[in-house]
Amino acid sequence: MQNLEFGGESAGTDTDEDVVITENQEEGGATSSQHTQNTVLARVNGQACKSPSSVGAADFSFSGLHIPGNTSNLNGSRVTPVSVAQLPGLNTLGISMVRIDYAPWGINPPHTHPRATEILTVIEGSLQVGFVTSNPENRLITKTLQKWDVFVFPIGLIHFQRNVGTTNAVAIAALSSQNPGVVTIANAVFGSKPDISSDILTKAFQIEPSLMHNLQAKF
């Protein structure tokens, strides 16, 4: 018996199925007619579930982590996720993973996972990693990792990685939710839709209004 989960939290409802597989949708959000016939009237993690009779090996496999991510962006990094959206068989199992590629001196900027703890292993290169504890201490816990070193980022805490080498770096991370979520701090604070009032942010960050407007314009 497994608990149905929504957004990574137990919904407190038991199911007598061994697996609860989400139905991948076609472009535009509609399932094909063949898929529709195999879809039961239930949604878990916001996605329609397949009938157990239609579940196959393809629902439990993913290919693509061998492909380097394109790091040609401002942060110099790329995350390749393997969550319930890419691997339906993860649904309700409380686990997922990512590949992270870093250009030289590239960063995975400060962010949080609201529904998951993360454990990261360096596959290639050297990474400076760290997280910040909660108020009021706000203590920075940081370390430089070498190949095959492992580091844990506790659930909900702001954390980051930076490639401190002159060559590309790669990490693999596992997360304790099939749908961990991610909140990139700068994007959320300065790029919300609609904008957070600049008066609020100016007070919070104790900076001049003109600088705050410039920051918001970047996101």
Side-chain angles (χ1 to χ4, degrees):
M1 301 268 284
Q2 288 181 310
N3 287 332
L4 290 175
E5 296 188 3
F6 183 82
E9 299 294 336
S10 173
T13 303
D14 287 334
T15 173
D16 58 4
E17 302 297 343
D18 290 326
V19 292
V20 181
I21 309 300
T22 60
E23 176 71 271
N24 287 330
Q25 294 186 326
E26 312 243 344
E27 186 176 357
T31 57
S32 67
S33 59
Q34 179 181 2
H35 285 176
T36 302
Q37 294 172 6
N38 293 326
T39 301
V40 296
L41 297 178
R43 300 182 75 85
V44 180
N45 295 311
Q47 301 185 34
C49 295
K50 280 187 176 181
S51 168
S53 63
S54 69
V55 170
D59 296 303
F60 297 90
S61 64
F62 174 87
S63 298
L65 288 187
H66 63 292
I67 302 172
N70 182 0
T71 59
S72 298
N73 53 64
L74 292 176
N75 289 322
S77 68
R78 177 71 63 184
V79 176
T80 303
V82 187
S83 65
V84 67
Q86 293 79 33
L87 185 57
L90 291 175
N91 208 34
T92 76
L93 298 184
I95 193 170
S96 59
M97 65 186 301
V98 297
R99 169 179 171 145
I100 314 171
D101 289 271
Y102 312 82
W105 299 102
I107 66 167
N108 190 8
H111 63 281
T112 71
H113 300 294
R115 295 181 290 274
T117 289
E118 176 181 350
I119 183 167
L120 177 143
T121 303
V122 179
I123 305 300
E124 293 290 344
S126 301
L127 295 178
Q128 179 191 8
V129 302
F131 64 86
V132 179
T133 63
S134 57
N135 297 350
E137 187 178 27
N138 299 130
R139 181 184 173 198
L140 174 62
I141 308 293
T142 185
K143 182 178 176 65
T144 298
L145 306 180
Q146 307 301 328
K147 186 175 181 178
W148 300 120
D149 286 347
V150 175
F151 199 83
V152 173
F153 305 106
I155 185 172
L157 295 185
I158 295 173
H159 59 283
F160 63 88
Q161 303 104 40
R162 177 173 66 165
N163 182 1
V164 292
T166 58
T167 60
N168 293 339
V170 181
I172 294 288
L175 300 107
S176 60
S177 170
Q178 70 275 351
N179 183 23
V182 61
V183 179
T184 304
I185 305 306
N187 296 54
V189 173
F190 302 121
S192 67
K193 303 292 187 291
D195 290 344
I196 299 173
S197 170
S198 59
D199 292 341
I200 294 172
L201 295 180
T202 297
K203 279 191 174 182
F205 286 91
Q206 301 178 35
I207 61 176
E208 295 296 322
S210 59
L211 179 55
M212 182 56 63
H213 289 307
N214 288 337
L215 285 171
Q216 289 181 304
K218 292 180 181 295
F219 293 91

